[in-house]
Amino acid sequence: MRNFRNKSGLKRHILIVEDEPINREILSNLLETDYIVHTAENGREALDILDSGEYIFSLALVDLLMPVMDGFELIRSIKDNDSLKSIPVIVMTSEKSAEVKSIRMGAADFITKPYDMPEVILARCERIIELQEDKSIIHGAERDTLTGLYTRDFFTEYIKQLEKYYPGQPSEIIVINVDHFHLVNELYGRKQGDRVLIHIGMVLTELLEETAGIACRTDADNFYIYCNSSPDYEDILSRIKARLSSTIESSNIKLRMGVYKDIDKNEMVENWLDRAKIACDQIRGDYSRQIEYYNKELYERAKYNERLINDIDDAISSKNLIVYYQPKYYIQSDQPRLQSAEALIRWKHPELGMISPGDFIPLFESNGLIQKLDEYVWKEAARQINKWKEKYGFTVPVSVNVSRMEIYQPELQNNFLKMLEENSLTSKELLLEITESAYSENSDQLIEIVDKLRDAGFKIEMDDFGSGYSSLNMLTSIPIDALKMDMKFIRNMQKDEKSMKLVEMVLEIARFLQVPVIAEGVETETQLKLLKERGCEIIQGYYFSKPVPPEEFEQFIIKEISKN
Ligand code: C2E
Ligand code: CA
Ligand code: CA
């Protein structure tokens, strides 16, 4: 603790109250190397200085016999005043008898006159200040046993103390987090997980020896740093990485950092930490970035997200989540034929208005709430297919999106089968869309699951094809029934020849895999024509329709029936 104070070059304020000029002089000279010394000639003057609130005093050295207001009265006034009473007082006296009286009044220690050796006086001042500060800090555990860094409670208390003493000081909060730390534990074992944390702790300890600052660890893998000057953020991360790679096998650990600079000191310290964390969470799972800075928009975004998380249950129970349907048309016949539909969620929030899935799907994917939402959509879609079937005697197969984390749920297949049974459907009627990037993440396990789903009769469409990093080699071993070409191919198609070639390549790959291509995001007749000429079979996009509510979708069914 003292380390930080000394290194940061920050001095505490102390007040000497003494009427004899010569004594004031001696004491001032003695103490001013270590402290910022203020002096007063009597109790009254001392109270004025303390009351002004201009400085936070760590200690008052008080003579007892003074004109105007003596030391006893001054001590009484200090101890009776809520905002001053925590300032420790050392009494300076030559009378043994006065010691007892001043102790009773709350003095912390004595210095006898004529003055003790200078070292003794300095040591006493230092000890009293420390005692007082530790008294207000220590409750609960001070150190995290694993890393030796502070605990969160201690850390925040400590910051409050430092801020109290050095209010003008620039400061910032940095948080470092291990991305998907639970995976490190799962894949390499808890022991190895602990080692990762210990090594991060060691690097931070070394670092804080060099630059003034303090650090703590909380919630397993969050490391907070409080410091007074901006360190080299990249350097911190690369130091940790270097340490980790030289000590443990798992080199693919990803760290991310959130920085809260220009702290709003009117906010509570706890909020400072939250803000650094908000920035840090912003780049969770984003492999292209490892440092994010807090700003107002992030705060607004975090608040908004919090709102959405709070409201999701209500949205489900009050049916504010509505499943829209967008038709997919087979285009290689004389006239386009309705082939199927994609179920796409919409949130009609009673206060925030219409919210598009781009605003909440990634959020719910990151915190696991996607499971609730997806199951809701799947059930709704299954119910809807059956409803149309009964009403029109016509099946519109509907594809639902399966989030990447859903795929690994052990109950996934049974859930689907149960849903089908409840709505008298077969597995041919409910199609599943799985995004390409899910395949590249954990392909072996995924292939196994998808194989099983296909054995049970489900048709799998690979969504957003071309946005991920599937290798051609992997594609040949992947079990799929259709490729949904990523929208950006269509967007760029007419820009230049190269982009058109890419579209042709995707169609070529699909032909090789013997599966149809669904082109998403087709908006114009030209796009449709170009795709049709090149053999693309199915099209989904605004050219035919935007996603629409189920009542509106019925017009497509009616039109389709009339074609027969
Ligand atoms: P996606 O699965 O790739 O869905 C296609 C998106 O493209 C939809 O956006 C759709 O409205 C939009 N779109 C279709 N045709 C056109 C077009 O011609 N032009 C343009 N500009 N856009 C077109 P939406 O509905 O906003 O959904 C965005 C993403 O949110 C979806 O991308 C999907 O990843 C996710 N999502 C939507 N609903 C669900 C759901 O129920 N569950 C899950 N897990 N994800 C969903
Ligand atoms: Ca989709
Ligand atoms: Ca897509």
Side-chain angles (χ1 to χ4, degrees), residues 342 401 433 463:
E342 177 175 6
N401 290 286
E433 294 192 13
D463 205 356

Side-chain angles (χ1 to χ4, degrees), residues 4-5 8-13 36 56 58 133 160-171 226 228 265:
F4 177 47
R5 285 171 202 153
S8 55
L10 298 169
K11 287 180 174 182
R12 288 169 165 49
H13 294 264
I36 298 168
I56 305 262
S58 297
E133 289 181 356
K160 285 176 200 165
Q161 290 276 350
L162 291 167
E163 287 290 330
K164 200 170 93 184
Y165 284 112
Y166 316 110
Q169 202 44 30
S171 41
Y226 166 87
N228 296 129
K265 303 233 167 154

